[in-house]
Amino acid sequence: MKEPRRRTLQDVADAAGLSKAATSYALRGLRGSPETQSRVLRVASELGYTVDPVARALAGGRSSNVVIVGSLRDLWQQDLAVMLSRALAEQALSASIADVDASPAREEAVLAALNSRQVDAVVALPVDPSALYWADVPDDIRLVSIGDALAHRPDSPVVLFDNATGVGTGLRHLAELGHRTVGVLAPALPATPGRPAEMLATSLGAELGLVVTVTATPAAVGEAADATERLLRTAPRPTALLCLSDSIAFGAYAAARRVGLEVPLDLSVLGYDDSAMAPLVEPQLSTFAWDETAIVDAAVDALRTPLDELDAEPRRHVFRPDFMPRGSTASPA
């Protein structure tokens, strides 16, 4: 026997003769006359409509356990986790931060422990967005991802980055300077398939006539330095690096010193985050700035809004980067 279709906010709005927004406000007692609010509540009851309990709890400030999942050795993720924690506190919500250190195994373990911690919501900067373990997160825990959509939780809101603009701008900048051999250092694991920025780098590089080599490395300065050093000791070595994390770019600076290369005279380096350290290193790091405040606001709004009030498009917020040219790129010697 087929189960009856779950009633949506649109059903209530149609029956009450109101817009979707007005219906939502009336249900939450935020706007509308007492008569309108009463009528909307009656219609909702007659239709059997129930408000998303997770969003209701978060919107009312009841939740005391929102977990932020990320890899904190990546300096940009570290800063974003702090900003998320502060933004949640401003909404009378508290948060804990779980460091998974770019490890799918640690990410899976953190998610498996959510039930015992009475977690209401998770904001994730996922290590492996294609992993099956995301499907095991209980439905009554709201999931919002930043950076990648979760393949096995397709209805979860997601904050995405316009990597086509970022990667394309970076590669065109290097091509216009005269570089033809470019190394792309990516924080994804080799076992994580289909990460869009890495795939874009290969396809866009080919269009620009570049020889692009993609190398996976942890987004931690020390390990990134080791991976970059190995790349720079390989013949023919790249004359420029596009690092998809500023933490990786700082590691590239260290690797260049180890092998006796000067940035940017011998090696151009591009970052991707515009972290607080980017203008402090020498030479100042050319990189891409993202509107972190807007990214955090979008993630918090997605937590607090009932899923049936999020249309298909608003569930996917896409942010475009701004190129910040500084001193770390130049024409090849």
Side-chain angles (χ1 to χ4, degrees):
M1 181 178 177
K2 187 177 179 180
E3 294 185 3
R5 180 177 67 87
R6 182 181 180 274
R7 293 296 188 174
T8 67
L9 183 70
Q10 189 64 61
D11 294 328
V12 180
D14 292 342
L18 297 170
S19 69
K20 194 173 177 182
T23 303
S24 173
Y25 286 129
L27 283 170
R28 289 182 280 173
L30 299 178
R31 296 183 189 174
S33 67
E35 293 78 12
T36 298
Q37 293 179 19
S38 177
R39 176 164 59 89
V40 170
L41 288 170
R42 184 179 67 254
V43 169
S45 177
E46 291 171 354
L47 292 176
Y49 172 78
T50 55
V51 179
D52 181 342
V54 176
R56 182 173 59 201
L58 292 166
R62 180 194 62 78
S63 172
S64 60
N65 204 353
V66 178
V67 177
I68 301 164
V69 178
S71 299
L72 301 187
R73 285 200 293 168
D74 182 313
L75 299 177
W76 189 79
Q77 288 199 29
Q78 183 182 118
D79 288 344
L80 197 71
V82 172
M83 292 179 67
L84 283 164
S85 179
R86 289 175 178 171
L88 291 166
E90 290 172 1
Q91 300 294 324
L93 303 169
S94 60
S96 57
I97 300 174
D99 176 26
V100 296
D101 198 22
S103 164
R106 288 184 62 168
E107 188 170 65
E108 182 176 17
V110 166
L111 296 176
L114 293 178
N115 268 342
S116 62
R117 298 176 59 183
Q118 297 181 332
V119 172
D120 292 287
V122 171
V123 181
L125 292 98
V127 176
D128 186 354
S130 63
L132 284 169
Y133 50 69
W134 292 104
D136 296 330
V137 176
D139 290 337
D140 60 353
I141 294 177
R142 173 64 57 83
L143 261 177
V144 176
S145 61
I146 298 176
D148 291 281
L150 303 175
H152 297 285
R153 289 293 288 264
D155 292 333
S156 295
V158 56
V159 178
L160 294 173
F161 306 137
D162 184 353
N163 287 315
T165 295
V167 172
T169 300
L171 291 177
R172 278 191 296 274
H173 171 70
L174 295 173
E176 289 167 0
L177 287 172
H179 294 279
R180 292 294 175 264
T181 307
V182 177
V184 175
L185 293 162
L189 299 173
T192 303
R195 297 301 284 262
E198 293 86 302
M199 295 176 66
L200 281 166
T202 302
S203 60
L204 293 175
E207 292 176 12
L208 293 167
L210 300 175
V211 177
V212 174
T213 302
V214 179
T215 300
T217 175
V221 175
E223 292 170 67
D226 294 339
T228 306
E229 181 179 357
R230 289 191 293 272
L231 177 63
L232 295 179
R233 293 189 184 280
T234 302
R237 72 164 178 83
T239 61
L241 300 175
L242 172 57
C243 306
L244 298 182
S245 160
D246 279 8
S247 294
I248 294 175
F250 301 145
Y253 274 46
R257 287 194 296 270
R258 291 179 190 174
V259 299
L261 300 177
E262 184 179 344
V263 177
L265 181 64
D266 304 309
L267 179 71
S268 288
V269 179
L270 272 179
Y272 208 62
D273 302 327
D274 197 28
S275 70
M277 294 291 293
L280 303 180
V281 294
E282 181 60 37
Q284 293 184 340
L285 179 65
S286 298
T287 184
F288 291 83
W290 304 86
D291 190 342
E292 289 95 346
T293 300
I295 289 169
V296 167
D297 288 345
V300 174
D301 286 345
L303 281 182
R304 293 165 56 86
T305 304
L307 285 179
D308 59 3
E309 294 183 33
L310 289 170
D311 295 326
E313 286 306 310
R315 291 193 189 193
R316 300 172 70 88
H317 296 268
V318 182
F319 289 89
R320 177 172 292 184
D322 293 319
F323 183 39
M324 308 293 289
R326 295 192 178 106
S328 63
T329 59
S331 297

